[in-house]
Amino acid sequence: MREGIPMFIRPHTLSLITTHRCTAACDHCCFGCTPDIPMSRSIPVERMRGLIDEAATMPSMKVVVFTGGECFLFGRDLVELVRHATERGLATRCVTNGYWARTRKAARKRLGELREAGLGELNLSTGSFHARYVPAERIVHAAAVAAELGLGTLVNAEVYAESDFDIDAITEHEELAGHIRSGRLRVQRNVWMTNDWGEQEISHDDRASRFREENKTGCDTVLNVLTVTPDQDLVACCGLTQELIPELHLGSVADRPLTEVVERTPDDFLKIWIHVEGPERVLEFVKRHVPDYELPTDSVHPCQTCLHLHRDETARRVLREHYRSEEDRVTDLYLAGIASQAVRNRTLPAFSTAEN
Ligand code: SF4
Ligand code: SF4
């Protein structure tokens, strides 16, 4: 929107949506992944190696995330990609539905290889929709083995009102409870967002509304996480609706280095604003200019609000016409955030002397 703002994109994470193919077909999956999608809807393995190399040249980059779809479908290639990222000095995380953990032995084999290649974290997705394809027992196997191997392990469970998922089977499982107490395993519940292609109608508690004061937060991932889609588009966040918001797409990295696409990204105040204050507060700004504007108060996820914000003509018009009144305030907050992050990231000596 404004020329001349130094946009200081300092991504710390490269998220590779390795493929849209998945072993499951969860209702309302954000990318519509299913087993019917061919493996050709994937980022070619050689390109993933190149993207890791390019990301490693960015001083702010710290982590590579392998997600999907189901990244474990890459088998030995996934192990070698983790090794490649590790050798480039980047931490690694895999996000999976755990289908491969049929037994403890199977889990030890898959995770042992990945651990040896340098894998640092494992995120497991589960819940009622997931469990129709991957029994929760496999999540227990995968989480137990991952924690045993010293991986930072996170279980993410869907939340919606009608869910009958027995989260206690994980949190109170004798072995897993020990790992939770020791901090090796975390379990968190995430609002399951609906979309146009999901079938089952689901609802959420009123407290989930993103427009409740306590839920209005800035978006941590926009400008901090760069995502590459299976079509090799570079995206400025790793949001659930990012594939539906053209404004978040920075360009193709099929034939151009990721760093070049980032460097050519024009300044965009809206991304900075979403980062600092979140899409709900941006829409509240719209309402201040159009008092009868209806806020999407049934939104339960920031990416749901964000999709509304980008698609809504009134919101877009008001932002185009009036954003300048917020520009200095929001830009200052953004720059202050970057500065404090830079200070937090510095390793300071305990004492400073003339010699050091
Ligand atoms: S496991 Fe994840 S990627 Fe696969 S269908 Fe379910 S939500 Fe989508
Ligand atoms: S809120 Fe918007 S910018 Fe942030 S992650 Fe979701 S889709 Fe991306």
Side-chain angles (χ1 to χ4, degrees), residues 191 204-216 280 296-301 305:
V191 166
H204 292 279
D205 191 292
D206 287 348
R207 284 170 300 179
S209 170
R210 286 291 305 173
F211 285 85
R212 286 174 69 100
E213 207 49 38
E214 67 273 22
N215 292 342
K216 292 179 213 158
E280 291 78 23
T297 50
D298 56 349
S299 172
V300 293
H301 197 286
T305 316

Side-chain angles (χ1 to χ4, degrees), residues 22-26 29-30 33-34 68-70 97 125 130 192:
C22 188
T23 54
C26 304
C29 167
C30 58
C33 301
T34 74
E70 181 48 62
N97 64 28
S125 310
H130 285 80
W192 194 243

Side-chain angles (χ1 to χ4, degrees), residues 219 221-222 237-242 245 248 274 279 302-303 306:
C219 168
T221 82
V222 68
C237 73
C238 61
L240 300 183
T241 53
Q242 41 104 343
I245 304 177
L248 293 173
I274 292 170
C303 301
C306 198

Side-chain angles (χ1 to χ4, degrees), residues 22-23 26 65-72 78 93-104 106-108 110-111 114 119-128 130-131 134-149 151-159 165 167 170 176 179-180 184-190 192:
C22 188
T23 54
C26 304
V65 178
F66 299 92
T67 180
E70 181 48 62
C71 66
F72 271 63
L78 179 64
R93 181 187 313 143
C94 288
V95 183
T96 173
N97 64 28
Y99 78 94
W100 38 270
R102 290 180 181 83
T103 60
R104 289 293 163 109
R108 277 199 190 94
R110 294 301 299 265
L111 292 179
L114 286 161
L119 184 66
E121 290 178 40
L122 187 75
N123 286 11
L124 294 155
S125 310
T126 191
S128 296
H130 285 80
V134 182
E137 181 193 50
R138 296 191 193 181
I139 298 296
V140 172
H141 291 318
V145 172
E148 249 170 59
L149 290 172
L151 295 170
T153 309
L154 174 69
V155 174
N156 267 313
E158 309 150 6
V159 174
F165 187 70
I167 191 85
I170 292 176
L176 296 190
H179 290 312
I180 292 170
R184 282 193 292 266
L185 169 65
R186 283 189 304 129
V187 178
Q188 85 185 11
R189 310 188 78 201
N190 284 334
W192 194 243

Side-chain angles (χ1 to χ4, degrees), residues 37-333:
I37 294 175
M39 264 320 258
S40 54
R41 286 294 307 282
S42 306
I43 312 173
V45 172
E46 263 321 290
R47 186 66 193 111
M48 285 197 261
R49 289 171 73 85
L51 289 165
I52 291 167
D53 290 341
E54 290 154 25
T57 67
M58 303 175 92
S60 60
M61 195 59 81
K62 303 268 185 286
V63 186
V64 180
V65 178
F66 299 92
T67 180
E70 181 48 62
C71 66
F72 271 63
L73 289 172
F74 283 84
R76 194 69 212 167
D77 282 335
L78 179 64
V79 176
E80 294 312 319
L81 286 164
V82 165
R83 192 186 312 284
H84 190 70
T86 307
E87 286 168 358
R88 297 290 175 280
L90 297 167
T92 49
R93 181 187 313 143
C94 288
V95 183
T96 173
N97 64 28
Y99 78 94
W100 38 270
R102 290 180 181 83
T103 60
R104 289 293 163 109
K105 192 174 167 198
R108 277 199 190 94
K109 181 167 184 332
R110 294 301 299 265
L111 292 179
E113 291 169 347
L114 286 161
R115 183 67 175 141
E116 181 275 323
L119 184 66
E121 290 178 40
L122 187 75
N123 286 11
L124 294 155
S125 310
T126 191
S128 296
F129 288 127
H130 285 80
R132 293 178 191 170
Y133 302 90
V134 182
E137 181 193 50
R138 296 191 193 181
I139 298 296
V140 172
H141 291 318
V145 172
E148 249 170 59
L149 290 172
L151 295 170
T153 309
L154 174 69
V155 174
N156 267 313
E158 309 150 6
V159 174
Y160 57 95
E162 298 80 7
S163 170
D164 56 2
F165 187 70
D166 181 12
I167 191 85
D168 294 347
I170 292 176
T171 54
E172 291 174 17
H173 183 279
E174 198 181 339
E175 196 180 349
L176 296 190
H179 290 312
I180 292 170
R181 278 194 299 276
S182 71
R184 282 193 292 266
L185 169 65
R186 283 189 304 129
V187 178
Q188 85 185 11
R189 310 188 78 201
N190 284 334
V191 166
W192 194 243
M193 203 193 97
T194 54
N195 51 39
D196 295 343
W197 52 89
E199 285 183 5
Q200 185 180 323
E201 286 215 8
I202 60 173
S203 61
H204 292 279
D205 191 292
D206 287 348
R207 284 170 300 179
S209 170
R210 286 291 305 173
F211 285 85
R212 286 174 69 100
E213 207 49 38
E214 67 273 22
N215 292 342
K216 292 179 213 158
T217 51
C219 168
D220 277 348
T221 82
V222 68
L223 305 175
N224 281 339
V225 179
L226 293 177
T227 295
V228 179
T229 69
D231 298 327
Q232 299 182 60
D233 251 9
L234 187 68
V235 185
C237 73
C238 61
L240 300 183
T241 53
Q242 41 104 343
E243 293 202 351
L244 303 172
I245 304 177
E247 291 83 350
L248 293 173
H249 289 237
L250 307 181
S252 173
V253 290
D255 304 310
R256 280 193 301 164
L258 177 152
T259 39
E260 186 186 311
V261 175
V262 171
E263 278 159 18
R264 291 191 180 178
T265 296
D267 285 351
D268 180 346
F269 177 66
L270 186 54
K271 290 188 188 65
I272 295 176
W273 199 354
I274 292 170
H275 175 95
V276 171
E277 297 199 309
E280 291 78 23
R281 291 198 197 280
V282 177
L283 281 178
E284 285 173 345
F285 169 83
V286 172
K287 189 169 174 62
R288 286 204 289 282
H289 286 272
V290 183
D292 63 356
Y293 183 75
E294 265 190 53
L295 293 170
T297 50
D298 56 349
S299 172
V300 293
H301 197 286
C303 301
Q304 197 174 8
T305 316
C306 198
L307 181 61
H308 182 99
L309 163 62
H310 281 90
R311 283 183 167 173
D312 188 82
E313 271 314 313
T314 304
R316 293 170 70 96
R317 177 182 57 74
V318 170
L319 292 172
R320 264 194 312 272
E321 290 172 1
H322 299 286
Y323 77 95
R324 282 184 182 274
S325 66
E326 299 298 299
E327 199 176 13
D328 288 344
R329 179 185 70 79
V330 171
T331 305
D332 286 350
L333 286 170

